[in-house]
C-alpha cells in the first residue's frame, strides 16, 4: 500500500515510537492547564479549555500501559470528527510525508490496524477511531475495558 | 386540525415562492429553453398548491394548480414558454400575491379567479411562433386576447404594498447566534471575575450594564429558536394510525399541549424517542381488540401524548390503557438475563423494577411482550433523553396501562446553575434541578446506622456525599454546618453534601463530545469566567 499524499506524525511513548495520521489531528501543543473530570480514571489528566471547547486530556501511556504520567510531554489534539480529546505523549519526533521509503502495511493489535515502515523500522499507526470507541465505552460503563487500567492494552511485548 | 399557528410561516414561505416565480418567469422570457428554470417554476407552483391546500385556502390552491398544469405542458414540450404563457403566469402570480395579502390581513384569500383559471386551462399557443420578450417592456394583452371583465377587475399589484413581517433564517445562522451569545456570556463572566479583583467602581458599573445587555440578547436569541411541540407531534397521528393497522389494533390517539414552545435543539432530539415509545405502546402495550373485550375494556385502546410545562421543565407523557407491566415479572426477567443479582433484585422498589426495562440487553420484543408489554428500545430512549439533560420515569399497573414521562429542559444552550465546591472540583447543578439548598447544623444531622439524614418538614431526606459521586476523596466537613443541595434522584429527594456553595451563574452549556458524552450523571460542561472548565451535574442520572 502506497502512502503517497498521506502524512504521519511520529511520536514516542515510554521510549517506543508510535504514529498517527497527521490528518486526524487538529493541533499539536504544549501541555495546558487542566481541571478535574468527575469519576475519571487516572489515565485522564483532566479537561482543558481548548479554544472554548472542553477537551479531556488522556495520558496515552497511562491508558495503554498503566504507567503513571511522567514529564510535561506534548498534546495531540484530535480532529473534531473524533470528538473532543487530546492525547498526552512524551515527545514529537517528526512528521513524515510522501517519501519513497515510507510504506504502510497491515498490522494487528489493540488500536492498531496498520504500521508504517520508515527507515526499516516498523512504527504502529494508532487507529484513533478504535481508541475513542474504547474510551467512550469505558465512560459509559464507568469501568475500564480491554484489560483494565494497569494492563498493557496494546497486547504487545 | 388547527393550522392557524402555522399561518405566519405559510405566508412567509408562499411570499418567497411567489417572488421566486416572478423572477423565474421573467428570466425564462429571455431564455425560454432553460430547463432548470422551467422545472423550478413547476415546483414552485406545485409547492404553493400543496401548502395552500393544507392550510385550507382552496382558492389559492386551485389557482396554483392551474398554473402548475400550464407549466407541466411547458415541461413536457407540448407548448413553448412563449410570452402568452409568461403573461398568464405573471397574472396568476399577482393574483396569488393579493390573495396572500388578504390572508395576512385575516381574510380567507378568496378572489374571483374563474376567468383566469379558464384562460390558464384553455391556453393555446398562437399559430405563428411568438417572439420571446427580452426587454421587459410592457406589451399589453398578448396573443390577440381580449381583456375580459375578470381581468379588468384584478386589483393592481401595487394597491397594497407587501409588508415584510417575517424573514426566514437558516437554522445554522440561529445556532451560530446562540453560540456567539454563549461565548459572549462566558467572556462577560470573565470580566466580572477580573472586575472583582481590580475593585474599580467605574468598571463594575460598566460591566453591570454589559451584563444586562447580554442577558437581553440571550433572551431574544433563545426566543427565536423556540418552536411549538406541534411541529413534532403533528406527524405522529399518521404514525400511530399506520402502526395500529399493522398490528391489527384499534387505537384512539389523543395529543395535547402542541402549542407549548421549546428549544429547537430539544425538539430535534424528540422524534426518535417518541416513535420508540408510541411503537411500544401500540405493539406491546395495547391488547388485541378481542383480548380487551374479554378484559372488560373498550375494543379500541387509547394512547395519549401529553406535553406540559412544569417550572422550567418540559414534560412529555405517553400513556396507554393497555395491559400494563408487572414489576415482579420484570425483576424476574432481569435476574434471568443476568442483568442484576437476585440479592440486588430483592431490594428494588416496584418503581425501580419498572426502570429495569431501560437496561441495555433487557428488552427483546418477544421477551418483553411475554412479561410486560413494554421495553423495546427503552435503553435507546433513555440514552437519547439523557443526552439532552432529560430524564425518564415509568409508572404502570398490570391490566390498567403504562405511563412514560420524559422530563426535558426547555433549552440546552444557556442555563442558570448553582456552583458548588467539592474538594478540588467545582461542579454546576442546574437551578431547575435544585429543590432547595440547606445549611444544616450538626445537630440537625440524624445518624441511623451508617446512614445520615435530616428532616425537611416531616420528610426524612437521606444525605449523601457528592464527593463520592464525583469519585473524589471525602474529608468530613469540620465547620459548624453541613451545606447540601436537595435534588430528586430516581423519584426520591436526596441531600447532596458539598464543601461550600459559590453562588448562581448563567453558563453556556457545551455538550460533552466523545468520549465523555456517554458519562452518566453529567449533561455537559461550561467555562467559567476564570477559564475553569466545570461539569454540569444531571442528578437524575447520577446513579
Amino acid at each position: 500500500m502506497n502512502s503517497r499524499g498521506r502524512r504521519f506524525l511520529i511520536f514516542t511513548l515510554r521510549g517506543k515510537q508510535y504514529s498517527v495520521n497527521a490528518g486526524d489531528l487538529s493541533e499539536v501543543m504544549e501541555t495546558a492547564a487542566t481541571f478535574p473530570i468527575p469519576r475519571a480514571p487516572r489515565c485522564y489528566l483532566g479537561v482543558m479549555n481548548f479554544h472554548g471547547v472542553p477537551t479531556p486530556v488522556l495520558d496515552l501511556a497511562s491508558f495503554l500501559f498503566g504507567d503513571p504520567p511522567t514529564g510535561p510531554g506534548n498534546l495531540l489534539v484530535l480532529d473534531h470528527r473524533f470528538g473532543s480529546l487530546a492525547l498526552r505523549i512524551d515527545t514529537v519526533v517528526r512528521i513524515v510525508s510522501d517519501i519513497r521509503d515510507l510504506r504502510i502495511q497491515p498490522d494487528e493489535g489493540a488500536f492498531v490496524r496498520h504500521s508504517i515502515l520508515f527507515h526499516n523500522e516498523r512504527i504502529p499507526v494508532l487507529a484513533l477511531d478504535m481508541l475513542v470507541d474504547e474510551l467512550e465505552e469505558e465512560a459509559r460503563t464507568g469501568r475500564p475495558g480491554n484489560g483494565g487500567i494497569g494492563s498493557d492494552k496494546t497486547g504487545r511485548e | 386540525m388547527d393550522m392557524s399557528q402555522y399561518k405566519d410561516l405559510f405566508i412567509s414561505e408562499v411570499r418567497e415562492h411567489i417572488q421566486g416565480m416572478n423572477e423565474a418567469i421573467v428570466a425564462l422570457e429571455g431564455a425560454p429553453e432553460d430547463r432548470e428554470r422551467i422545472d423550478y417554476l413547476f415546483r414552485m407552483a406545485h409547492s404553493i398548491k400543496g401548502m395552500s391546500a393544507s392550510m385550507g385556502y382552496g382558492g389559492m390552491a386551485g389557482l396554483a394548480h392551474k398554473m402548475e398544469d400550464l407549466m407541466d405542458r411547458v415541461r413536457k414540450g407540448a407548448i413553448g414558454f412563449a410570452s402568452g404563457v409568461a403573461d398568464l403566469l405573471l397574472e396568476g402570480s399577482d393574483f396569488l400575491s393579493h390573495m396572500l395579502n388578504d390572508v395576512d390581513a385575516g381574510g380567507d384569500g378568496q378572489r374571483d379567479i374563474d376567468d383566469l383559471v379558464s384562460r390558464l386551462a384553455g391556453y393555446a399557443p398562437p399559430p405563428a411562433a411568438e417572439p420571446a420578450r427580452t426587454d421587459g417592456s410592457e406589451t399589453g394583452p398578448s396573443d390577440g386576447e381580449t381583456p375580459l371583465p375578470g381581468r379588468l377587475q384584478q386589483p393592481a399589484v401595487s394597491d397594497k404594498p407587501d409588508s415584510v413581517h417575517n424573514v426566514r433564517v437558516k437554522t445554522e445562522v440561529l445556532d451560530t447566534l446562540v453560540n456567539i451569545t454563549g461565548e459572549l456570556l462566558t467572556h462577560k463572566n470573565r470580566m466580572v471575575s477580573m472586575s472583582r479583583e481590580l475593585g474599580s467602581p467605574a468598571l463594575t458599573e460598566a460591566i453591570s450594564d454589559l451584563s444586562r445587555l447580554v442577558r437581553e440578547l440571550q433572551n431574544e436569541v433563545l426566543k427565536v429558536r423556540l418552536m411549538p411541540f406541534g411541529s413534532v407531534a403533528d406527524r405522529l397521528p399518521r404514525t400511530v394510525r399506520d402502526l395500529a393497522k399493522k398490528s391489527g389494533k384499534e387505537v384512539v390517539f389523543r395529543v395535547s399541549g402542541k402549542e407549548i414552545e421549546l428549544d429547537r435543539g430539544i425538539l430535534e432530539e424528540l422524534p426518535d424517542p417518541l416513535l420508540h415509545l408510541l411503537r411500544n405502546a401500540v405493539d406491546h402495550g395495547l391488547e388485541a381488540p378481542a383480548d380487551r373485550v374479554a378484559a372488560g375494556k373498550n375494543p379500541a385502546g387509547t394512547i395519549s401524548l401529553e406535553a406540559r410545562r412544569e417550572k422550567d421543565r418540559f414534560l412529555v407523557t405517553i400513556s396507554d390503557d393497555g395491559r400494563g407491566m408487572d414489576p415482579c415479572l420484570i425483576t424476574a426477567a432481569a435476574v434471568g438475563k443476568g442483568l442484576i443479582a437476585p440479592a440486588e433484585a430483592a431490594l428494588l422498589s416496584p418503581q425501580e423494577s419498572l426502570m429495569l426495562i431501560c437496561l441495555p440487553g433487557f428488552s427483546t420484543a418477544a421477551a418483553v411482550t411475554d412479561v410486560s408489554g413494554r421495553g423495546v428500545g427503552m435503553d435507546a430512549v433513555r440514552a437519547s433523553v439523557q443526552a439532552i439533560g432529560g430524564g425518564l420515569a415509568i409508572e404502570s399497573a398490570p391490566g390498567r396501562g403504562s405511563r412514560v414521562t420524559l422530563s426535558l429542559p426547555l433549552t440546552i444552550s444557556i442555563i442558570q446553575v448553582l456552583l458548588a465546591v467539592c474538594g478540588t472540583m467545582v461542579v454546576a447543578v442546574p437551578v431547575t434541578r435544585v429543590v432547595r439548598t440547606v445549611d444544616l447544623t450538626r445537630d440537625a444531622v440524624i445518624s441511623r446506622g451508617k446512614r445520615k439524614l435530616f428532616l425537611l418538614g416531616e420528610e426524612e431526606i437521606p444525605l449523601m456525599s457528592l464527593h463520592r459521586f464525583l469519585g473524589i476523596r471525602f474529608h468530613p466537613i469540620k465547620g459548624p454546618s453541613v451545606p447540601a443541595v436537595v435534588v430528586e434522584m430516581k423519584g426520591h429527594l436526596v441531600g447532596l453534601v458539598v464543601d461550600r456553595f459559590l453562588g448562581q451563574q448563567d453558563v453556556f452549556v457545551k455538550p460533552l463530545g466523545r468520549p465523555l458524552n456517554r458519562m452518566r450523571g453529567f449533561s455537559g460542561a461550561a467555562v467559567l469566567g476564570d477559564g475553569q472548565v466545570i461539569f454540569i451535574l444531571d442528578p437524575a442520572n447520577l446513579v
Side-chain angles (χ1 to χ4, degrees):
Chain A
M1 185 177 176
N2 198 297
S3 65
R4 187 161 286 276
R6 293 179 66 177
R7 299 192 307 153
F8 295 88
L9 182 140
I10 301 174
F11 61 92
T12 62
L13 213 53
R14 303 297 185 267
K16 288 183 181 174
Q17 290 196 337
Y18 293 85
S19 67
V20 287
N21 187 337
D24 292 344
L25 300 180
S26 157
E27 200 167 310
V28 179
M29 57 187 286
E30 302 294 318
T31 49
T34 58
F35 306 94
I37 302 173
R39 296 173 162 183
R42 278 183 304 169
C43 54
Y44 281 103
L45 300 175
V47 60
M48 68 172 177
N49 179 3
F50 179 66
H51 304 311
V53 179
T55 305
V57 179
L58 179 84
D59 183 71
L60 192 55
S62 179
F63 175 71
L64 293 176
F65 317 124
D67 296 352
T70 54
N74 286 104
L75 300 182
L76 309 181
V77 184
L78 307 196
D79 187 82
H80 63 83
R81 68 180 187 277
F82 292 100
S84 305
L85 184 67
L87 305 177
R88 186 244 170 235
I89 48 97
D90 290 342
T91 51
V92 173
V93 177
R94 62 179 295 179
I95 292 177
V96 292
S97 72
D98 214 15
I99 52 177
R100 199 168 290 175
D101 56 349
L102 176 63
R103 288 287 181 274
I104 305 176
Q105 58 189 33
D107 199 350
E108 284 184 358
F111 316 117
V112 172
R113 289 194 193 97
H114 299 98
S115 289
I116 53 173
L117 202 59
F118 180 61
H119 290 167
N120 294 321
E121 188 179 351
R122 190 170 62 90
I123 304 172
V125 182
L126 276 182
L128 297 174
D129 57 332
M130 295 168 77
L131 181 77
V132 175
D133 283 350
E134 173 73 9
L135 289 167
E136 191 178 42
E137 181 60 13
E138 290 192 9
R140 188 183 70 78
T141 60
R143 292 188 296 270
N146 200 26
I149 302 297
S151 64
D152 183 344
K153 296 189 180 192
T154 64
R156 292 173 187 279
E157 293 293 317
Chain B
M1 185 182 292
D2 177 19
M3 302 296 282
S4 60
Q5 57 188 315
Y6 304 117
K7 193 171 119 179
D8 287 349
L9 185 63
F10 164 76
I11 291 168
S12 158
E13 290 191 347
V14 171
R15 190 159 277 143
E16 192 177 301
H17 286 359
I18 291 172
Q19 180 61 29
M21 282 177 70
N22 288 341
E23 287 172 9
I25 293 165
V26 173
L28 273 169
E29 282 190 302
E33 303 299 325
D34 188 334
R35 183 74 204 177
E36 214 174 286
R37 277 212 171 86
I38 288 171
D39 287 340
Y40 170 80
L41 201 48
F42 175 81
R43 287 199 306 272
M44 288 301 101
H46 180 78
S47 296
I48 293 173
K49 180 187 75 173
M51 290 160 71
S52 303
S54 65
M55 292 293 293
Y57 300 118
M60 290 182 71
L63 176 54
H65 188 182
K66 291 302 172 193
M67 292 168 73
E68 180 192 0
D69 284 348
L70 184 59
M71 279 312 299
D72 194 34
R73 291 168 67 196
V74 174
R75 209 167 61 136
K76 287 174 176 165
I79 55 172
F81 193 89
S83 62
V85 175
D87 284 341
L88 278 171
L89 291 175
L90 284 171
E91 195 179 341
S93 160
D94 288 346
F95 254 102
L96 284 174
S97 185
H98 288 292
M99 293 160 103
L100 192 65
N101 284 342
D102 186 44
V103 169
D104 200 2
D108 57 7
Q110 289 294 341
R111 295 270 169 140
D112 181 4
I113 54 168
D114 292 347
D115 167 62
L116 177 58
V117 162
S118 70
R119 282 186 291 125
L120 281 163
Y123 173 79
E130 300 172 27
R133 257 190 276 154
T134 54
D135 59 0
S137 61
E138 292 287 338
T139 58
S142 59
D143 307 339
E145 292 170 355
T146 306
L148 297 170
R151 190 171 184 183
L152 291 172
Q153 288 161 13
Q154 175 203 339
V157 178
S158 57
D159 66 349
K160 184 184 173 193
D162 285 354
S163 303
V164 179
H165 296 297
N166 298 304
V167 287
R168 288 197 295 140
V169 181
K170 284 188 176 173
T171 51
E172 294 89 345
V173 176
L174 295 181
D175 291 345
T176 304
L177 270 178
V178 171
N179 285 340
I180 292 173
T181 308
E183 295 296 348
L184 198 57
L185 177 73
T186 304
H187 284 273
K188 186 268 293 179
N189 289 341
R190 187 175 164 202
M191 289 173 74
V192 169
S193 192
M194 290 161 74
S195 159
R196 277 199 202 108
E197 288 170 17
L198 292 171
S200 159
L203 182 61
T204 305
E205 190 184 333
I207 291 174
S208 169
D209 289 344
L210 176 68
S211 299
R212 181 177 50 77
L213 290 170
V214 169
R215 179 172 281 276
E216 281 177 22
L217 176 66
Q218 174 189 321
N219 289 340
E220 293 303 314
V221 165
L222 289 178
K223 255 191 233 167
V224 299
R225 273 172 50 113
L226 294 178
M227 288 177 72
F229 176 59
S231 60
V232 168
D234 282 344
R235 309 172 207 163
L236 298 174
R238 169 72 192 270
T239 305
V240 171
R241 177 191 165 277
D242 290 350
L243 287 169
K245 279 205 147 205
K246 269 186 199 168
S247 57
K249 292 174 182 170
E250 295 173 34
V251 182
V252 176
F253 184 47
R254 298 196 175 112
V255 184
S256 63
K258 288 197 291 184
E259 71 289 351
I260 295 174
E261 291 186 316
L262 72 164
D263 192 285
R264 190 177 63 82
I266 303 279
L267 270 177
E268 282 176 350
E269 300 301 324
L270 275 182
D272 282 349
L274 290 181
L275 198 60
H276 268 296
L277 292 171
L278 289 172
R279 188 176 292 136
N280 282 347
V282 177
D283 278 357
H284 309 293
L286 294 184
E287 311 92 331
D291 295 340
R292 290 182 63 85
V293 171
K297 294 180 178 180
N298 190 311
T302 300
I303 296 175
S304 300
L305 173 67
E306 182 200 357
R308 64 187 192 280
R309 265 182 81 158
E310 262 186 32
K311 295 183 188 171
D312 286 337
R313 301 294 287 177
F314 175 72
L315 304 179
V316 188
T317 303
I318 292 105
S319 53
D320 67 65
D321 63 351
R323 57 171 66 93
M325 294 182 276
D326 185 335
C328 297
L329 290 177
I330 288 173
T331 307
V335 171
K337 288 169 181 283
L339 297 173
I340 54 166
E344 202 180 343
L347 299 174
L348 294 177
S349 67
Q351 195 181 17
E352 288 167 333
S353 294
L354 290 173
M355 291 303 291
L356 291 173
I357 67 169
C358 296
L359 287 178
F362 176 84
S363 53
T364 64
V368 171
T369 302
D370 290 340
V371 297
S372 64
R374 280 296 177 99
V376 176
M378 288 302 289
D379 58 328
V381 171
R382 186 163 73 164
S384 303
V385 170
Q386 284 174 348
I388 50 174
L392 178 152
I394 303 169
E395 300 160 76
S396 190
R400 291 171 57 190
S402 302
R403 174 197 293 261
V404 180
T405 300
L406 310 181
S407 168
L408 303 161
L410 289 178
T411 178
I412 49 175
S413 307
I414 298 173
I415 61 169
Q416 196 170 29
V417 296
L418 171 70
L419 297 173
V421 177
C422 285
T424 56
M425 210 177 283
V426 176
V427 290
V429 187
V431 294
T432 53
R433 313 307 287 267
V434 175
V435 177
R436 65 176 297 173
T437 57
V438 290
D439 212 11
L440 301 167
T441 56
R442 292 277 163 193
D443 52 4
V445 178
I446 303 163
S447 292
R448 193 159 293 162
K450 285 187 176 177
R451 295 175 60 220
K452 306 278 185 195
L453 51 92
F454 75 100
L455 290 174
L456 187 63
E458 301 279 307
E459 193 175 357
E460 290 187 346
I461 308 292
L463 281 169
M464 301 170 98
S465 161
L466 183 55
H467 301 67
R468 188 167 67 82
F469 291 114
L470 300 177
I472 52 180
R473 191 181 297 276
F474 175 59
H475 297 288
I477 299 165
K478 292 174 181 164
S481 62
V482 178
V485 53
V486 180
V487 296
E488 190 178 309
M489 291 169 69
K490 307 284 179 201
H492 302 286
L493 293 183
V494 174
L496 295 173
V497 177
V498 301
D499 291 347
R500 63 194 162 93
F501 294 115
L502 293 179
Q504 292 186 9
Q505 192 175 109
D506 283 343
V507 294
F508 178 36
V509 181
K510 313 250 182 173
L512 294 173
R514 299 183 71 207
L516 297 186
N517 56 330
R518 303 293 298 276
M519 189 167 65
R520 286 165 54 90
F522 300 91
S523 55
V527 180
L528 295 184
D530 60 1
Q532 186 175 180
V533 181
I534 56 160
F535 286 81
I536 296 163
L537 207 65
D538 176 16
N541 295 302
L542 207 51
V543 288

